Amino acid sequence: MEQSPKIASLFIYPIKSCRGISVPQAPVTPTGFRWDRHWLVVNYKGRAYTQRIVPQLALIKPEMPQEAFSEDWEPTNKSFMVIRAPGMNELKIPLTTPDSVAEGVSMWEWSGSALDEGEEAAKWFSDYIGKPSRLVRFKKDSEHRPVDPQYAAGYSTTFMDLFPFLFLSQGSLNELNMLLPEPVPVNRFRPNIFLDGCEPFGEDLWDEIKINDLVFKGVRLCSRCKVPTVDQETAVMGSEPTETLLKFRSDKVLMPDKKPRGKVFFGKEMVWDWKEGSSDGKGKLIKVGDPVLVAKKMTSRNEAAI
């Protein structure tokens, strides 16, 4: 009899490509967890920085008030995100909405305006990275960043790479670590929802799951970039785990009937189908320990979108 998965950990990454926060509960919204990838570090042209080109972003640690992950919580003028990094004084960012706007912000296919966190933040990030930089916040009241309609028409997100939620299982990580020269922790893969009680790579086949009354729909397998090769404790980039993943998690191996494009896959990208279950479209909490009901599964990985 197949095991019933449950949530082992929940992770929120307030600033894109910076360190994540492990939380006991997380408010779900249509664009992802509340506060997840709401901030972005950009260069002097307004283009996004990520660990692909600035691996030392991995060493930046944001800290949020514990109550920020409660349902319906709203910040006051005493609510801050505190940011720390090696060799730097701590930086406090008010969680209330800033007044300044940065035009011409861009990340991958999206460009638009964002909220600017001001000169103190700009100097802090410029000094740390060694290049002119600014910290901006997604302007959720007026900006809209749709995901690729080929995969999930009608959904949108903030500063995530592609889709609102990334699921990964302990079983998959264990399987990979048995093959690696040195095991890697889950933070290499930056999931939002980390599951236990799931067979290795069982999440590949999930078409629809339920957590409490929330329905999540599988979008596609997560194609991995260079970020998993960055050691999140040292910011040093290597060749693993990608080198090992290529041997058994490439499109060539997993989907022999499809044209290979040299991709490797680890984790499952999903959206919250807020039109089902909780019909008001407002976020609800999910918690560590919550059971996961697999409602619909694919029969093979050849059916999975990549």
Side-chain angles (χ1 to χ4, degrees), residues 15 39-43 47-49 57 125 129 133-135:
I15 309 171
W39 286 268
L40 180 69
V41 187
V42 297
N43 68 11
R47 292 178 184 160
Y49 278 136
L57 289 174
F125 279 92
I129 293 172
S133 309
R134 299 196 76 84
L135 181 67

Side-chain angles (χ1 to χ4, degrees), residues 41 49 54 56-57 60 124-131 133:
V41 187
Y49 278 136
V54 185
Q56 65 264 39
L57 289 174
I60 295 175
W124 192 97
F125 279 92
S126 299
D127 289 348
Y128 178 72
I129 293 172
K131 300 174 185 176
S133 309

Side-chain angles (χ1 to χ4, degrees), residues 8 27-29 42 44 51 55 66 71 116 122 136 150 197 201 220 286:
V28 180
T29 81
V42 297
Y44 72 100
Q51 286 185 36
Q66 191 172 348
E71 194 171 1
D116 192 294
V136 299
Q150 177 186 346
F201 309 109
R220 66 177 200 176
I286 62 174

Side-chain angles (χ1 to χ4, degrees), residues 59-133:
L59 306 183
I60 295 175
K61 299 179 185 179
E63 183 181 304
M64 302 277 284
Q66 191 172 348
E67 61 269 23
F69 307 108
S70 301
E71 194 171 1
D72 300 326
W73 179 82
E74 290 301 328
T76 69
N77 57 8
K78 294 181 180 178
S79 307
F80 296 91
M81 173 171 62
V82 180
I83 303 171
R84 297 180 177 89
M88 302 292 292
N89 293 327
E90 71 177 30
L91 173 68
K92 285 187 171 182
I93 300 295
L95 291 180
T96 49
T97 305
D99 297 324
S100 301
V101 174
E103 301 291 348
V105 171
S106 62
M107 193 187 86
W108 315 152
E109 79 306 330
W110 176 87
S111 62
S113 63
L115 299 167
D116 192 294
E117 295 292 0
E119 295 308 319
E120 186 185 356
K123 183 178 188 315
W124 192 97
F125 279 92
S126 299
D127 289 348
Y128 178 72
I129 293 172
K131 300 174 185 176
S133 309

Side-chain angles (χ1 to χ4, degrees), residues 84-233:
R84 297 180 177 89
M88 302 292 292
N89 293 327
E90 71 177 30
L91 173 68
K92 285 187 171 182
I93 300 295
L95 291 180
T96 49
T97 305
D99 297 324
S100 301
V101 174
E103 301 291 348
V105 171
S106 62
M107 193 187 86
W108 315 152
E109 79 306 330
W110 176 87
S111 62
S113 63
L115 299 167
D116 192 294
E117 295 292 0
E119 295 308 319
E120 186 185 356
K123 183 178 188 315
W124 192 97
F125 279 92
S126 299
D127 289 348
Y128 178 72
I129 293 172
K131 300 174 185 176
S133 309
R134 299 196 76 84
L135 181 67
V136 299
R137 189 189 310 196
F138 195 81
K139 200 176 175 188
K140 60 181 181 179
D141 292 339
S142 60
E143 290 292 339
H144 179 68
R145 184 172 169 242
V147 304
D148 188 335
Q150 177 186 346
Y151 296 101
Y155 293 90
S156 61
T157 190
T158 54
F159 291 132
M160 291 78 170
D161 267 359
L162 292 167
F163 300 99
F165 297 97
L166 176 60
F167 285 69
L168 182 65
S169 73
Q170 180 73 61
S172 301
L173 183 61
N174 290 347
E175 191 87 352
L176 170 63
N177 278 334
M178 285 195 300
L179 301 171
L180 286 173
E182 290 183 23
V184 296
V186 66
N187 65 12
R188 290 288 191 103
F189 302 100
R190 304 175 70 78
N192 298 110
I193 300 173
F194 189 48
L195 305 145
D196 206 357
C198 177
E199 63 183 37
F201 309 109
E203 63 269 31
D204 287 359
L205 302 177
W206 291 353
D207 213 14
E208 182 178 298
I209 64 170
K210 285 189 78 174
I211 303 173
N212 304 326
D213 64 341
L214 304 183
V215 176
F216 291 85
K217 291 194 176 291
V219 176
R220 66 177 200 176
L221 302 187
C222 182
S223 171
R224 307 311 309 215
C225 62
K226 290 193 291 187
V227 171
T229 67
V230 179
D231 185 320
Q232 299 296 297
E233 302 304 318

